[in-house]
Amino acid sequence: MDTGGGRNWWLILAGPIVAFVLTLLLPGSLSFEGRAVAGIAIWMALWWMTEAVPIPATSLLPLILFPLVGAGTLEEVASPYANSVIFLVMGGVIIGLATQKSNLHMRVALLTIKVVGTKPAQIVLGLMIASAFISMWVSSTATAVIMVPIASSIIQLVRKVDSRASGKKFSAAMILGVGYGVTIGSMATIIGQPPMALMTAYLLESQSFEMGFGQWMIVGVPFAVVMTAVCWLVLTKIVFRPEVNEIPGGNELIREEHQNLGSMRTAEKRVALVFLVAIFFWVAVPFIAEIAVIQEYLPFLASISNAQVAVAAAVACFIVPAEKRRDNPKSEALLSWSATREVPWGLLLLFGGGLSLSAMFTATGLSEWVGTQVSGLGSLPSWAIVLAVIIVGLALTELTSNTATAAAFFPIFGAVAVGVGVDPLIMTIAVTMAVCSAYMLPVATPSNAVSFGSGEITIKQMVRAGLWMNMISVVLIMIVLHTLVPLVFNVSV
């Protein structure tokens, strides 16, 4: 029964009850601390996935409970909340806010459409490419919030020109194209969406493996390019073939919208410059730092981390003036500190809670114990185990937050990987890509939710397209795990 203003007290109470029962029932071969951490992990997973309690509040439970059960001191439990990847995400979000404030995103979208073309299917492709590119660098939620209204505006403009051209199929292809484009593009970099950054943090925390920004892009960008192309074909050629092939006055429409933006303002140029410098340090500098001459004369370049670059770029947004000083000596910076109210601080707490949970899995011996228990599955082919994990992760994410699912699954499947003889890196990447690839329901990802909230699509339309996308994702993820991942990381399934 739901009481207390819509809060489900049964679910709230189920968390601690399940934790207590599981702690009692787990065998004595596992230490008390390990049993308690297992119980608390299930408690957190239950609250995370049902959102019986706000996700950020659930993420604070390790600080309260782990020291109580002797799993670690408060200092040990709290240290993952300051993991460097959390600052990487924070920096990326702040840069995204500056992009949004300067209106650079709108210019990118319209320029992309101008380049690709103004036929209905071409407009869908243009917006998908723009959405995917922006979400590589800006949080997926923020990109969806930015791009869906742009898509809705273009639908309204097209309706004024030709009502046939903006029928249900075209509208669905446009809105879902943006939502799916955001999801796909955000998998190309480790700052695109929370599970990607959480993967990086988990590997650093539990496997002492630091994934390079450019290193992941060698895997993520080809996957995103292929997936975007496939998604466009599914939306515009199979599921929602546009009602007409040509929009009367389409070129003039987009040209007029672009002209309304005017020439590129100083603020846009400076945000773009900050972005480009950050991308240079993320992608190019790690390779430059390996050159012998550079190692000798500029050895500090090798020690620059992704998080340092993100925070430096974020700080620059609060320093660099939005206008030329000779035009306005008192010009404000690209961002004011008040803009940080839009930083998802609760999401950063979720990162911390998930990483603290992972750390205690290892510290109490729970990971080793889980691995031992599932070692019997090692007789199955590795690919079959990984495929099953991908399907389970993707299916569960359709009904729950993908970030919460990732936070709960990483330590569990990391332990399973050791037990069955699969490289934990392969398993972690598989889980990450799976939870980032749910397309059927609005609750699956933030971009799905924002797309559905536009009012231009129905659940039925999202399920029709999403079913195709989910099946294709499973196949493509398996291909990536057998091709690009071994090539880049020197591991194999």
Side-chain angles (χ1 to χ4, degrees):
M1 183 173 65
D2 199 19
T3 61
R7 300 185 66 193
N8 194 325
W9 288 100
W10 288 114
L11 281 175
I12 292 173
L13 291 172
I17 291 170
V18 168
F20 180 73
V21 171
L22 189 62
T23 303
L24 292 179
L25 292 181
L26 284 172
S29 58
L30 179 62
S31 67
F32 168 76
E33 292 82 3
R35 283 181 279 142
V37 167
I40 293 167
I42 299 300
W43 176 354
M44 292 175 68
L46 182 65
W47 278 10
W48 269 336
M49 293 180 187
T50 62
E51 295 189 49
V53 172
I55 286 176
T58 301
S59 305
L60 293 171
L61 285 179
L63 298 172
I64 305 166
L65 300 175
F66 287 159
L68 280 180
V69 299
T73 65
L74 182 60
E75 288 74 19
E76 291 168 339
V77 173
S79 63
Y81 287 81
N83 187 286
S84 62
V85 177
I86 292 175
F87 291 96
L88 170 65
V89 175
M90 183 185 72
V93 169
I94 291 172
I95 301 169
L97 291 175
T99 304
Q100 187 175 350
K101 184 182 177 184
S102 70
N103 218 26
L104 180 62
H105 62 288
M106 177 66 100
R107 191 176 299 278
V108 170
L110 291 174
L111 277 173
T112 306
I113 293 172
K114 283 183 71 176
V115 170
V116 174
T118 55
K119 293 181 179 180
Q122 292 173 336
I123 292 177
V124 173
L125 179 61
L127 277 179
M128 286 183 69
I129 292 171
S131 300
F133 177 76
I134 293 171
S135 70
M136 288 171 63
W137 316 105
V138 181
S139 91
S140 56
T141 306
T143 307
V145 169
I146 290 166
M147 295 301 298
V148 167
I150 294 174
S152 296
S153 299
I154 292 174
I155 290 171
Q156 298 304 324
L157 288 170
V158 171
R159 277 180 183 149
K160 292 177 183 177
V161 177
D162 186 348
S163 58
R164 291 179 308 140
S166 57
K168 291 181 179 179
K169 290 182 178 179
F170 174 67
S171 302
M174 280 278 281
I175 298 297
L176 287 175
V178 167
Y180 293 169
V182 169
T183 298
I184 293 165
S186 64
M187 297 169 68
T189 65
I190 59 176
I191 62 169
Q193 62 171 302
M196 303 301 301
L198 194 55
M199 167 188 72
T200 312
Y202 170 75
L203 289 171
L204 185 61
E205 186 80 28
S206 66
Q207 306 296 326
S208 299
F209 175 79
E210 185 169 2
M211 183 176 286
F213 199 100
Q215 196 178 20
W216 173 257
M217 286 183 71
I218 299 172
V219 175
V221 171
F223 173 81
V225 169
V226 172
M227 198 68 189
T228 300
V230 170
C231 181
W232 177 71
L233 290 172
V234 167
L235 289 177
T236 62
K237 306 301 179 184
I238 300 174
V239 185
F240 302 118
R241 185 186 289 271
E243 288 83 355
V244 297
N245 293 323
E246 195 83 46
I247 298 173
N251 281 315
E252 292 75 16
L253 182 72
I254 299 301
R255 191 182 305 116
E256 184 181 339
E257 286 297 304
H258 185 250
Q259 285 174 348
N260 289 340
L261 288 177
S263 57
M264 202 169 183
R265 296 181 299 112
T266 302
E268 290 180 75
K269 293 177 183 177
R270 291 180 176 179
V271 169
L273 181 61
V274 170
F275 237 135
L276 290 172
V277 171
I279 292 169
F280 174 76
F281 273 87
W282 278 329
V283 178
V285 166
F287 295 102
I288 294 171
E290 293 179 7
I291 299 171
V293 177
I294 301 296
Q295 286 178 339
E296 183 177 353
Y297 293 101
L298 299 172
F300 66 89
L301 284 181
S303 64
I304 296 176
S305 70
N306 294 329
Q308 279 176 287
V309 174
V311 172
V315 171
C317 291
F318 297 108
I319 297 173
V320 176
E323 300 174 33
K324 295 177 181 176
R325 294 192 63 80
R326 66 172 176 270
D327 298 335
N328 184 1
K330 295 184 179 180
S331 171
E332 292 184 356
L334 294 171
L335 270 186
S336 62
W337 184 251
S338 61
T340 59
R341 292 172 189 159
E342 297 179 47
V343 173
W345 300 108
L347 178 65
L348 303 184
L349 285 178
L350 171 60
F351 274 39
L355 294 174
S356 184
L357 181 61
S358 299
M360 292 306 108
F361 256 67
T362 303
T364 60
L366 178 58
S367 289
E368 186 179 348
W369 183 83
V370 171
T372 303
Q373 302 309 304
V374 299
S375 58
L377 295 174
S379 57
L380 293 173
S382 296
W383 67 264
I385 296 170
V386 173
L387 178 62
V389 168
I390 291 170
I391 293 171
V392 169
L394 194 153
L396 190 57
T397 306
E398 287 290 0
L399 302 170
T400 62
S401 155
N402 62 353
T403 310
T405 305
F409 272 21
F410 282 157
I412 295 171
F413 282 120
V416 169
V418 174
V420 299
V422 175
D423 193 295
L425 177 61
I426 289 278
M427 186 67 85
T428 304
I429 292 173
V431 171
T432 305
M433 297 186 79
V435 302
C436 291
S437 299
Y439 299 96
M440 283 177 61
L441 295 173
V443 295
T445 63
S447 52
N448 280 14
V450 174
S451 297
F452 183 72
S454 69
E456 295 283 355
I457 55 171
T458 63
I459 289 277
K460 186 178 178 181
Q461 288 174 320
M462 185 174 279
V463 169
R464 277 181 63 200
L467 184 60
W468 279 87
M469 293 299 297
N470 283 1
M471 292 188 296
I472 292 166
S473 292
V474 171
V475 174
L476 280 181
I477 291 170
M478 286 297 290
I479 291 172
V480 166
L481 291 175
H482 282 83
T483 55
L484 291 175
V485 171
L487 182 69
V488 175
F489 300 108
N490 197 29
V491 293
S492 58
V493 177

